[in-house]
Amino acid sequence: MERFLQNHFSEDNENLQQFVRKDYGILFQISGFYRRMDTVKEKFLATSYVFLIITMLTYQAILFLITMFHTDNDLIIMFQSFHFIMLYIFSIIWQFFIFVNREKVARIFKAIHHGLYTYDEEREIYREQVKNANQFYRKLSIKLPSMCFLVVAVIVELGPLIDRYVRNIQYEMYSPGGLSQNIPIPIWIPYGTDTNFKLIITMLLKLPVDIWTTVTCGTCLMMVLESANVLHLEMELLIHSLNHLPSRTENLLNKTTSNKRKINITKLREDKEMASCYKRNLRDNAIHYQRIIRLFLDVQDILSVPMLVTFVSESIFLALSASAIVFGKGQVDLVMSVLGIFVSESMALLVSCWYAERIRQSSENLRDTLYATDWIYAPKDAVIYIQIMSTRALKSLTLMSFGLFPITFETFANIMNTGYSYFNLIYATNSE
């Protein structure tokens, strides 16, 4: 157990904690994704906090599951309950995989903060230029998830109350099936909500669950986008350094020798000093690429199962959302909440596929860049580094969901088509 804990928190340090707090605020603290675990007490509290989140999410999922069997064949409530069950399951899976892969999450944060490899001054200047050029993507990955899911959560909870007030609708306290109707979202409550005390207890139990679900969805999307963004950045830096391999060789040669001179790359095999510098630069590139692959595998391990659940459930969400609008008899609150959830989930999936596509495209560009190097002039002991990188680059870096679905635009389009097919099936079945 002691060895497990030592490995589990081996990547943590104070600088990393400060970076996470500075760039992301308290999101990773509230969500439980990356709480402080420096001391035994903090490790116990953080573990208990994650366990509490999973327990409360499971409790709410069970309540909505029971609700599905007390809807009196009300398709809208049934669809809505199933949707919330899937959201809670999704949040539980993310909580579990982030917690058990904490050391990999820490390595991702280190890559975002420090980078994977330090080159010469010109390459580091280029890194900053790429970072500045990608500020839009960085801001998008940090601000979009939180704001999007927060707005949707407010709409889902307040929409029904606003609709009832505007249309002056009075509901019975309980539906014929025993669902509590004096709360924003009808649900089966084991102890009822017939008194103010029970109603307050119900709301106090549901409020933290809603906050955790919203923050979890926003934070996990942020993790996907930030991870994809740093991988793309490092790939672009590697490509740039390979494109400038002759100038890097010349700079290194002039630093290591007393006589400054221009180099002729076609004379590599004849000039041992130049060949040594060329080989050293290629070795740096190979090490950088190896670290990129390791980071890619870390991201893959964390995202694999959660993204599979996302892909499988998103087509169902699309069908249920469309069905709820069609069979919802024009309820304003229903249309607002359904559209809000559908748009936020679809946009989250689309942006995730977009960022993952950027990684794949960069890895394919790397393949072309490696072939365009002056390998025909290089000595054999230097060419081996190009061969190693070229062999790995034949397989592009494509993020996969459990090895079944690539995270690409094509997969996103297939999910939308599948959701539309499910909707047609539900519509045809209900019409009959």
Side-chain angles (χ1 to χ4, degrees):
M1 184 65 179
E2 184 178 353
R3 175 176 291 184
F4 167 76
L5 291 176
Q6 184 178 1
N7 294 332
H8 196 60
F9 307 110
S10 59
E11 301 287 343
D12 287 12
N13 58 61
E14 182 64 27
N15 291 335
L16 197 60
Q17 292 284 354
Q18 292 178 359
F19 161 72
V20 173
R21 186 62 180 266
K22 178 183 176 181
D23 275 34
Y24 308 112
I26 60 174
L27 281 178
F28 282 89
Q29 299 289 325
I30 297 176
S31 64
F33 280 8
Y34 202 77
R35 295 180 65 86
R36 293 188 70 94
M37 293 190 180
D38 299 332
T39 64
V40 175
K41 180 180 179 181
E42 288 176 340
K43 292 175 183 177
F44 173 76
L45 292 175
T47 304
S48 301
Y49 183 76
V50 172
F51 180 76
L52 175 64
I53 293 177
I54 293 177
T55 302
M56 293 296 293
L57 290 172
T58 304
Y59 169 72
Q60 287 295 327
I62 293 174
L63 292 186
F64 274 109
L65 180 62
I66 297 174
T67 299
M68 292 182 65
F69 297 95
H70 291 78
T71 57
D72 299 320
N73 297 321
D74 189 328
L75 288 179
I76 304 304
I77 297 180
M78 188 178 298
F79 291 163
Q80 189 178 48
S81 299
F82 180 77
H83 201 153
F84 276 103
I85 290 172
M86 292 304 298
L87 280 177
Y88 294 144
I89 292 175
F90 174 79
S91 300
I92 291 170
I93 290 174
W94 268 102
Q95 288 286 345
F96 175 78
F97 275 88
I98 291 292
F99 183 76
V100 299
N101 291 291
R102 182 181 175 92
E103 74 282 2
K104 297 176 182 177
V105 175
R107 286 201 289 265
I108 292 173
F109 284 140
K110 284 183 179 179
I112 296 172
H113 185 42
H114 300 295
L116 292 178
Y117 201 81
T118 303
Y119 287 101
D120 55 22
E121 184 177 353
E122 291 183 11
R123 252 43 63 191
E124 292 307 307
I125 292 175
Y126 179 76
R127 181 197 294 274
E128 294 303 318
Q129 291 174 349
V130 175
K131 280 187 176 182
N132 293 334
N134 285 328
Q135 279 300 314
F136 166 76
Y137 297 101
R138 184 85 199 283
K139 291 178 181 178
L140 185 69
S141 63
I142 294 177
K143 295 182 179 180
L144 174 66
S146 304
M147 295 301 298
C148 183
F149 285 102
L150 177 61
V151 171
V152 172
V154 172
I155 291 175
V156 170
E157 292 296 335
L158 297 184
L161 300 179
I162 295 174
D163 185 54
R164 293 178 190 180
Y165 176 78
V166 172
R167 296 199 293 169
N168 196 24
I169 299 176
Q170 298 294 328
Y171 286 106
E172 295 291 334
M173 185 172 295
Y174 298 111
S175 69
L179 303 182
S180 297
Q181 298 187 125
N182 56 340
I183 53 179
I185 300 174
I187 186 175
W188 181 83
I189 303 295
Y191 47 82
T193 54
D194 52 340
T195 66
N196 289 333
F197 177 75
K198 293 179 180 179
L199 182 61
I200 292 173
I201 293 296
T202 300
M203 297 304 293
L204 288 178
L205 288 175
K206 186 141 188 338
L207 180 61
V209 173
D210 291 342
I211 294 175
W212 283 328
T213 304
T214 303
V215 174
T216 297
C217 291
T219 309
C220 69
L221 177 58
M222 186 190 303
M223 279 290 301
V224 174
L225 303 187
E226 283 283 81
S227 302
N229 204 33
V230 69
L231 279 168
H232 175 262
L233 170 64
E234 294 297 331
M235 288 295 296
E236 290 298 311
L237 180 61
L238 177 59
I239 292 172
H240 179 271
S241 65
L242 285 168
N243 283 331
H244 292 78
L245 194 55
S247 63
R248 290 170 56 213
T249 302
E250 181 177 312
N251 292 338
L252 183 59
L253 181 63
N254 291 332
K255 286 181 180 179
T256 55
T257 60
S258 57
N259 298 324
K260 293 188 177 182
R261 55 191 174 94
K262 294 288 183 179
I263 67 169
N264 184 356
I265 206 70
T266 62
K267 304 294 184 181
L268 266 175
R269 294 179 183 176
E270 303 172 11
D271 190 329
K272 291 185 178 180
E273 289 184 341
M274 181 170 61
S276 176
C277 293
Y278 189 84
K279 177 184 175 181
R280 180 176 169 183
N281 284 327
L282 278 176
R283 182 180 63 84
D284 291 343
N285 290 135
I287 294 173
H288 187 196
Y289 191 36
Q290 182 184 39
R291 293 180 182 179
I292 291 175
I293 299 298
R294 182 187 181 188
L295 179 64
F296 174 81
L297 294 176
D298 285 343
V299 174
Q300 182 72 72
D301 289 343
I302 296 172
L303 302 185
S304 183
V305 174
M307 289 305 295
L308 175 64
V309 175
T310 302
F311 282 157
V312 172
S313 61
E314 186 62 30
S315 56
I316 301 175
F317 288 167
L318 171 62
L320 296 182
S321 299
S323 301
I325 293 176
V326 171
F327 302 124
K329 302 177 183 179
Q331 294 174 247
V332 177
D333 62 325
L334 180 67
V335 173
M336 288 175 57
S337 59
V338 166
L339 282 178
I341 292 176
F342 170 69
V343 171
S344 64
E345 291 172 349
S346 300
M347 285 297 297
L349 188 60
L350 176 61
V351 174
S352 299
C353 292
W354 173 27
Y355 275 54
E357 280 278 10
R358 296 172 72 222
I359 301 174
R360 185 185 63 81
Q361 187 60 53
S362 293
S363 65
E364 292 180 356
N365 293 340
L366 175 64
R367 186 190 315 159
D368 298 334
T369 302
L370 285 167
Y371 186 77
T373 56
D374 300 304
W375 56 271
I376 56 176
Y377 304 115
K380 291 182 179 180
D381 58 348
V383 171
I384 191 171
Y385 290 112
I386 298 178
Q387 289 178 331
I388 292 172
M389 290 188 285
S390 297
T391 302
R392 179 58 185 87
L394 290 175
K395 183 178 181 181
S396 60
L397 298 182
T398 303
L399 289 172
M400 302 287 291
S401 55
F402 205 60
L404 298 176
F405 306 107
I407 306 177
T408 60
F409 285 134
E410 183 179 356
T411 302
F412 175 79
N414 291 336
I415 290 173
M416 294 295 106
N417 289 332
T418 304
Y420 182 69
S421 300
Y422 289 162
F423 165 71
N424 285 333
L425 179 62
I426 295 173
Y427 184 79
T429 303
N430 192 67
S431 299
E432 293 176 0

